[in-house]
Amino acid sequence: MKFQRKKKEKIDISMTPMIDVVFLLLIFFMVTTTFSRQTEVNIKLPEAEGTEAKDYPKTVSLVIDANGIYSLIGDDNLPHQLINQTRDGLKQELSKLAEHSKDLPFVINAADETPNKAVMTALDIAGQVGFSHITFATVKPSD
């Protein structure tokens, strides 16, 4: 007895529904994604080599030592250590200075071993209280 084989149906996979789903997912993720912009402090970093900076008659100078202790240089050119070394204390002192010297250059003198957190805190607070000309004190490299 001879059996007849059934004809095999040709299997065809349609890619159209899969492409539709992928495009819908792409559109969904594009619409629901939030783009956040980090806050920035606009500063001009000085070069270590080159000409010396202009000599301003008066600047606001903040000294940060290797332990992260803040001191402001007064009119007598001597550093005066802040009584309150917290973030709020620094903000309060810089706010007082910013009331009448906001347009003066704000110079940060930081030691080599100063923690980055202390320097970034000073930069952040100086920008918040309104100083716009922020720079770092540097020395020429020794040959």
Side-chain angles (χ1 to χ4, degrees), residues 62-75:
L62 178 70
V63 178
I64 310 171
D65 69 2
N67 297 322
I69 304 296
Y70 300 109
S71 302
L72 285 169
I73 295 182
D75 293 332

Side-chain angles (χ1 to χ4, degrees), residues 70 81-93:
Y70 300 109
Q81 187 172 338
L82 298 181
I83 296 170
N84 187 354
Q85 289 290 323
T86 63
R87 182 180 177 90
D88 292 332
L90 179 63
K91 188 170 186 174
Q92 184 179 14
E93 290 294 324

Side-chain angles (χ1 to χ4, degrees), residues 72 83 89-102 129 131:
L72 285 169
I83 296 170
L90 179 63
K91 188 170 186 174
Q92 184 179 14
E93 290 294 324
L94 292 181
S95 295
K96 288 179 194 175
L97 285 172
E99 289 176 3
H100 37 44
S101 58
K102 205 179 277 191
V129 298
F131 286 104

Side-chain angles (χ1 to χ4, degrees), residues 1-102:
M1 188 178 328
K2 192 170 187 181
F3 293 105
Q4 287 185 345
R5 290 191 174 175
K6 288 186 177 179
K7 291 185 177 180
K8 290 185 179 180
E9 291 183 25
K10 190 173 183 180
I11 298 176
D12 187 25
I13 298 176
S14 177
M15 296 294 286
T16 305
M18 186 174 75
I19 292 172
D20 288 345
V21 169
V22 169
F23 278 129
L24 285 176
L25 285 174
L26 180 66
I27 291 171
F28 173 78
F29 287 124
M30 286 173 52
V31 170
T32 59
T33 301
T34 58
F35 298 100
S36 64
R37 182 175 179 204
Q38 300 294 327
T39 57
E40 300 171 356
V41 177
N42 294 325
I43 59 172
K44 293 182 180 178
L45 297 177
E47 297 289 327
E49 294 179 10
T51 61
E52 292 194 20
K54 286 193 303 188
D55 189 24
Y56 289 96
K58 190 171 181 184
T59 61
V60 177
S61 296
L62 178 70
V63 178
I64 310 171
D65 69 2
N67 297 322
I69 304 296
Y70 300 109
S71 302
L72 285 169
I73 295 182
D75 293 332
D76 54 1
N77 286 334
L78 295 174
H80 300 283
Q81 187 172 338
L82 298 181
I83 296 170
N84 187 354
Q85 289 290 323
T86 63
R87 182 180 177 90
D88 292 332
L90 179 63
K91 188 170 186 174
Q92 184 179 14
E93 290 294 324
L94 292 181
S95 295
K96 288 179 194 175
L97 285 172
E99 289 176 3
H100 37 44
S101 58
K102 205 179 277 191

